[in-house]
Amino acid sequence: MTQDSKAAFDARYVVFLGTTAAVGGLLFGFDIAIIVGAGPFLVQQFGLSDLSLGWAFSSLLFGCALGSIIAGRLTDLYGRQRMLLWVAGLFVVTSIATGTAPNFAVFLLGRFMGGLAVGGVSVLSPMYVAEVSPPAVRGRMGAAYQLSITAGILVSYFINYWLRNLGPWNWRWMFISGVLPSVVFFSALLWAPETPRFLFKAGRREEALRLLSRIMGPAEAAAEATQIESSLAVPSSAQNFLRSGMLRRALLVGFVLAILIHVSGINTIIDYSPIIFRSAGWKIDAALFSTFVIGGINFLFTLISFWTIDRYGRKPLYIIGSLGMSVSLLALVAAEAMGRFRGGLVLGVIGLYIAFFASCIGPVFWTLVPEIFPNRVRGKAMVVPVLTQWIANAVVVLFFPLAFHRVGKVVTFAFLALMALAQALFAWWFVPETKGKTLEQIEEHWNRGKGQPPKKRETAILEQLDI
């Protein structure tokens, strides 16, 4: 940005837009994690087996997979802000439905429907953030979205601990408490505009220019508008884009990262930390409190990404974070092998694992994924990595209790450590650096190889993206 554009840049308005979308991340984290503390009480209420408990946790995640598909298809037709309003309303309804479920089957249905909302927001909120953020702060705005997810997780852990002794219906109030942030999200969205890129796509050029001027400054907005209109003018359908050999690398990056982010263990730690801590000798109250501590570490270390993601870039953080996670998981393997999988040691190692994920992996993933796809098909293209990560998440969460109790801690944590190492290697070889580039400049990097022979074209793309 130039000095003049910085002066005209309405920082408070950009923060409002980013914060509004980030509340969706808070609901994302809340709905994912509220079942963590409710899990032990659900086992008592419904007499759940290991596999039934896995379904209780993963039913929401399978809904997330479907929700991400629906949101991705509809947002390119109806816009980001309108779809977010529908999602916010769904959060309200499903929070009530889950908390008032009369039996386990209805509970699973409520969680699955809640997953539609979480899956929708996982596509829409990061896309909204990416499309309303100036390039110089887009990384920090993406980190704010990840911070809101960790805030939602932390809030849910606090509510779990606060309501633990309320009585046999305590788990119901845990889920119903999600109504309040859902209503706040819906209310804030009523004041939020559509994104400038969707407005250009919908032919509302003057409205888009006014909004773009407000969030970037007039000088930057004029240049950005030209780039946006040029990118939208390219006669390429979404189907052709997804089949394009020139851009398969972008889809491959998103697809593989979406698998690795979950098979490297983050949601097994987030969702099943009370089970892990109880296996380390903690009583239920202490296990729930330790889970709250983990949520606090998650939140605090996500704050670090505000100062690192736009300074050091996406790729270095991904490599460092993945290696740190792998070492932490291997420490858990060693602790179990030596018979020292107990108390404070386990809490400390898991805290270290969370610190590496929160400061490096989480913010980068949700910032990078919407950055790498063109304006004209971003909604549909986002479905690929987002759907993939929800399916990977659901499968890991479904089978973790079985693996943890039957295969054992050593094999389970060793597998997760290997996947974290694979994540570091993949980031080293394939993840592009998008720091400081506009969305249109990133798209141009992918497009610049047109007209060249396949091998030369691919080489040109990789060189432009520093891969």
Side-chain angles (χ1 to χ4, degrees):
M1 283 189 184
T2 66
Q3 192 64 35
D4 290 342
S5 66
K6 286 181 180 178
F9 162 47
D10 192 340
R12 285 186 294 182
Y13 189 62
V14 171
V15 169
F16 163 71
L17 297 181
T19 302
T20 297
V23 177
L26 186 143
L27 288 167
F28 177 149
F30 182 93
D31 271 34
I32 288 290
I34 193 64
I35 198 171
V36 172
F41 304 107
L42 289 170
V43 171
Q44 296 173 12
Q45 177 80 33
F46 299 118
L48 303 181
S49 65
D50 280 344
L51 189 58
S52 296
L53 181 63
W55 278 113
F57 276 79
S58 64
S59 55
L60 177 128
L61 304 176
F62 286 108
C64 292
L66 179 59
S68 65
I69 295 173
I70 295 171
R73 293 185 67 85
L74 295 183
T75 189
D76 282 335
L77 294 174
Y78 301 110
R80 297 21 167 169
Q81 185 260 2
R82 185 181 300 180
M83 290 302 301
L84 281 169
L85 275 171
W86 280 101
V87 164
L90 189 57
F91 271 119
V92 175
V93 173
T94 56
S95 294
I96 297 172
T98 306
T100 58
N103 54 54
F104 188 56
V106 175
F107 174 82
L108 289 180
L109 179 61
R111 285 290 284 173
F112 179 82
M113 296 299 293
L116 297 179
V118 177
V121 88
S122 70
V123 172
L124 299 167
S125 279
M127 190 186 311
Y128 190 95
V129 170
E131 293 189 356
V132 300
S133 302
V137 298
R138 194 172 60 244
R140 274 169 281 177
M141 297 290 281
Y145 172 72
Q146 176 64 22
L147 181 66
S148 71
I149 295 176
T150 64
I153 293 171
L154 182 60
V155 168
S156 70
Y157 286 170
F158 173 77
I159 290 173
N160 288 157
Y161 187 72
W162 183 40
L163 298 177
R164 72 192 187 284
N165 294 323
L166 193 62
W169 278 28
N170 59 351
W171 65 271
R172 296 187 183 277
W173 290 110
M174 291 175 186
F175 291 105
I176 292 172
S177 65
V179 170
L180 179 59
S182 302
V183 170
V184 170
F185 186 38
F186 185 89
S187 302
L189 284 167
L190 292 175
W191 295 91
E194 186 50 78
T195 70
R197 286 166 176 83
F198 181 80
L199 292 174
F200 275 113
K201 184 177 180 180
R204 296 153 64 180
R205 189 176 188 277
E206 292 185 5
E207 187 179 350
L209 279 172
R210 286 196 301 271
L211 179 58
L212 204 58
S213 296
R214 188 171 184 184
I215 65 178
M216 297 187 72
E220 294 289 336
E224 185 76 356
T226 300
Q227 292 184 34
I228 293 172
E229 291 179 315
S230 296
S231 71
L232 293 173
V234 177
S236 174
S237 68
Q239 187 176 18
N240 288 338
F241 163 72
L242 294 176
R243 293 177 178 176
S244 170
M246 179 182 60
L247 293 177
R248 284 177 186 166
R249 184 62 62 92
L251 285 172
L252 176 65
V253 168
F255 175 76
V256 176
L257 289 183
I259 294 175
L260 291 174
I261 196 172
H262 291 297
V263 296
S264 57
I266 183 57
N267 268 52
T268 62
I269 302 297
I270 293 295
D271 287 359
Y272 293 114
S273 50
I275 293 176
I276 296 171
F277 288 130
R278 292 189 76 180
S279 75
W282 298 73
K283 301 298 183 183
I284 182 64
D285 278 12
L288 288 176
F289 182 76
S290 297
T291 299
F292 180 66
V293 171
I294 291 300
I297 294 171
N298 194 15
F299 180 82
L300 291 174
F301 275 85
T302 301
L303 286 171
I304 294 176
S305 64
F306 278 87
W307 289 274
T308 57
I309 192 167
D310 283 322
R311 176 173 297 181
Y312 301 111
R314 287 47 159 164
K315 186 170 182 171
L317 292 183
Y318 228 90
I319 295 169
I320 293 169
S322 299
L323 291 175
M325 290 164 61
S326 183
V327 171
S328 302
L329 290 165
L330 288 174
L332 290 177
V333 172
E336 173 65 13
M338 294 186 295
R340 296 185 178 182
F341 197 88
R342 294 190 297 271
L345 175 63
V346 173
L347 177 61
V349 174
I350 288 179
L352 185 64
Y353 170 92
I354 290 291
F356 277 109
F357 177 87
S359 59
C360 299
I361 305 301
V364 173
F365 179 81
W366 289 110
T367 300
L368 178 71
V369 166
E371 287 180 326
I372 62 177
F373 298 121
N375 289 319
R376 62 192 181 277
V377 292
R378 183 168 292 116
K380 293 183 177 67
M382 276 280 287
V383 170
V384 175
V386 174
L387 172 62
T388 302
Q389 68 94 26
W390 283 125
I391 293 174
N393 192 351
V395 171
V396 171
V397 168
L398 174 60
F399 291 109
F400 180 79
L402 281 173
F404 189 74
H405 290 136
R406 300 189 186 184
V407 178
K409 300 184 186 74
V410 170
V411 174
T412 301
F413 287 125
F415 173 78
L416 298 177
L418 181 62
M419 293 299 99
L421 178 61
Q423 185 172 250
L425 294 174
F426 184 82
W428 176 271
W429 287 105
F430 297 107
V431 170
E433 183 54 73
T434 58
K435 180 187 74 171
K437 298 181 176 72
T438 68
L439 299 180
E440 290 68 40
Q441 287 172 339
I442 296 168
E443 179 178 349
E444 180 59 27
H445 287 316
W446 295 112
N447 290 333
R448 200 164 289 175
K450 283 184 177 180
Q452 299 177 23
K455 283 291 183 183
K456 291 184 178 179
R457 182 188 309 153
E458 181 174 334
T459 301
I461 292 172
L462 299 181
E463 288 176 352
Q464 289 295 330
L465 287 167
D466 301 324
I467 298 178

